[in-house]
Amino acid sequence: MADCFAVSTQANDFPVIDLSGSIAAVVAEIADACEKWGAFQVVNHGMPLELHAKFELAMKKFFAQPTDEKRKLRKDIGGVKPYDYGYEEFAKNVNDWKEVFDFPLEKQTATSMSYDLEDTTARELIHSWPEYPSDFRYLSSILIHLSIFFLTILRMEACVQYGQEMEKLSFKLMELISLSLGLPRQRLNGFFKDHTSMGRLIHCPPCPTPQLVLGTHEHTDVGALTILSQDSAGGLEAKRTFDGKWILVKFVPDAYVINMGDMLEVWSNKKYVSLVHRAKVNSERERFSIPFFFNPAYYVVMEPIEELTNEQNPAKYRAFNWGKYYGSRKYGNFKNPETDVLRLKHFKV
């Protein structure tokens, strides 16, 4: 566990990419960042800043409620309610110093929310919304209907609206990443036809012993890519791929941190490596962050993209089902099993 609290440094060269630049320049920057870091930050990304600010405020109101109120929405990992409120997430058999609220983009049916890889039972997942604050789920706007004297109040779901913007940005990034790998722009889009993406709200309260715990312990993300908003409290640290050093990711206002997940490591045949990262807490400030996990459909069979393998560069991973892999990882994070949770190393050729 000593490495969990290794001293980190801040790298001023952590890539910040302006998505409003020319396609050729952006693609080249993404290729360089993915190979050297497995992550980068983006600005001028198209996410409405007003929506983000309102969503962040509603999140803070939700977490400010008494614990008993939040626990009414407690999730049931391994059952049919893997989303909603939680505070018992493990990494490396240590409880993280955080509380979360998870929400799916759309209604989902899971074929793999079990640690048992032989379990093929399909489950319709249940998700509940909090009643408070009222603007957590809804952002109000006025829609004037063009028929005679008719006025309708249109209540847009804040979480869903935010998720839809994240979905648009995710597809944009996946297309740029595909180009950076020398593939057709939409080569990876088909894997997300029935994608199982989800948003997460994270609150790390001030910690009296920040030297003993982490907000989120060292891990890689299980999906394709993650879009993360962190606040000015900072704390996000990335393990640099080329030297293994822990780097503090500098807070950049209105930017999103983009990190490669396990599935992009597989698809790229390990040209891009899934980012190892963690989040630290401090004794003075609470920390809020909002990751959005862009995940493929449960039924997708994961293996290196055919165009990226040849006799000189054979496939480094054998094929496996993403839904089962995701279920094992997620279930293991909460049940804290003594046996090893599935990792990419189990599928190496």
Side-chain angles (χ1 to χ4, degrees):
M1 294 297 297
D3 186 58
C4 286
F5 305 99
V7 176
S8 62
T9 57
Q10 183 166 290
N12 294 324
D13 58 338
F14 189 87
V16 179
I17 300 175
D18 186 342
L19 293 186
S20 67
S22 70
I23 294 294
V26 171
V27 167
E29 288 183 73
I30 287 177
D32 185 66
C34 288
E35 288 193 48
K36 292 181 179 178
W37 292 84
F40 51 91
Q41 297 200 64
V42 293
V43 294
N44 292 321
H45 37 68
M47 174 68 184
L49 299 181
E50 182 181 1
L51 170 62
H52 182 94
K54 289 180 178 179
F55 185 54
E56 193 174 55
L57 179 60
M59 170 184 65
K60 291 179 179 179
K61 289 180 180 178
F62 170 76
F63 283 126
Q65 295 182 97
T67 301
D68 288 345
E69 285 298 313
K70 291 178 287 188
R71 288 186 179 181
K72 291 178 181 178
L73 296 168
R74 186 175 177 179
K75 61 178 65 184
D76 174 25
I77 296 301
V80 295
K81 196 180 179 184
Y83 303 109
D84 304 350
Y85 178 75
Y87 54 90
E88 297 173 309
E89 187 161 298
F90 292 90
K92 293 187 179 294
N93 293 336
V94 180
N95 201 354
D96 294 339
W97 186 269
K98 68 183 179 188
E99 55 180 346
V100 306
F101 184 86
D102 294 340
F103 62 95
L105 234 60
E106 298 177 354
K107 189 174 183 179
Q108 295 179 5
T109 299
T111 57
S112 181
M113 284 306 298
S114 169
Y115 191 65
D116 179 6
L117 296 185
E118 302 303 319
D119 180 6
T120 59
T121 305
R123 302 174 179 84
E124 186 172 287
L125 304 181
I126 297 173
H127 168 55
S128 303
W129 292 107
E131 295 181 2
Y132 176 86
S134 59
D135 54 353
F136 182 84
R137 184 180 181 185
Y138 298 108
L139 292 179
S140 297
S141 61
I142 298 178
L143 173 66
I144 301 177
H145 199 281
L146 296 180
S147 58
I148 301 175
F149 306 117
F150 189 79
L151 181 66
T152 301
I153 300 298
L154 177 66
R155 291 163 68 82
M156 293 293 290
E157 295 183 353
C159 285
V160 175
Q161 190 177 358
Y162 183 87
Q164 287 172 344
E165 292 295 333
M166 287 289 99
E167 181 183 33
K168 288 195 296 185
L169 180 56
S170 295
F171 274 110
K172 179 178 182 178
L173 290 167
M174 288 303 302
E175 291 180 0
L176 293 170
I177 290 170
S178 185
L179 290 172
S180 77
L181 289 167
L183 299 169
R185 185 169 193 147
Q186 297 186 341
R187 176 64 175 87
L188 303 175
N189 287 17
F191 297 117
F192 301 92
K193 180 181 178 182
D194 300 308
H195 66 89
T196 55
S197 305
M198 58 168 280
R200 164 168 281 196
L201 313 178
I202 301 177
H203 174 226
C204 298
C207 178
T209 55
Q211 73 279 8
L212 299 179
V213 298
L214 288 171
T216 304
H217 281 72
E218 174 185 340
H219 69 287
T220 61
D221 289 339
V222 68
L225 59 81
T226 301
I227 302 176
L228 174 73
S229 167
Q230 67 166 339
D231 66 8
S232 59
L236 175 66
E237 298 184 326
K239 198 169 190 177
R240 198 158 53 188
T241 57
F242 56 85
D243 63 5
K245 289 185 177 180
W246 283 107
I247 302 299
L248 180 65
V249 179
K250 182 181 179 180
F251 167 72
V252 177
D254 301 328
Y256 286 108
V257 180
I258 314 299
N259 65 264
M260 305 299 102
D262 289 355
M263 298 306 97
L264 267 171
E265 178 170 327
V266 173
W267 283 329
S268 70
N269 203 30
K270 214 171 181 178
K271 181 176 182 180
Y272 299 162
V273 179
S274 184
L275 179 72
V276 179
H277 56 288
R278 67 189 183 190
K280 286 191 173 182
V281 295
N282 62 63
S283 59
E284 299 177 359
R285 295 188 61 183
E286 57 186 343
R287 177 180 184 270
F288 294 92
S289 61
I290 310 172
F292 178 81
F293 304 101
F294 194 48
N295 299 331
Y298 284 124
Y299 55 73
V300 166
V301 175
M302 298 303 308
E303 58 188 330
I305 298 296
E306 184 179 2
E307 301 96 297
L308 301 180
T309 62
N310 51 45
E311 289 185 5
Q312 291 72 40
N313 185 36
K316 295 180 174 62
Y317 294 100
R318 57 184 174 84
F320 60 94
N321 174 261
W322 186 78
K324 288 295 180 186
Y325 180 77
Y326 171 74
S328 174
R329 283 281 302 270
K330 191 171 184 67
Y331 187 71
N333 282 348
F334 288 86
K335 294 301 181 182
N336 197 12
E338 294 181 2
T339 55
D340 196 11
V341 177
L342 279 182
R343 306 287 179 184
L344 285 188
K345 64 183 181 181
H346 295 114
F347 301 99
K348 285 184 177 180
V349 174

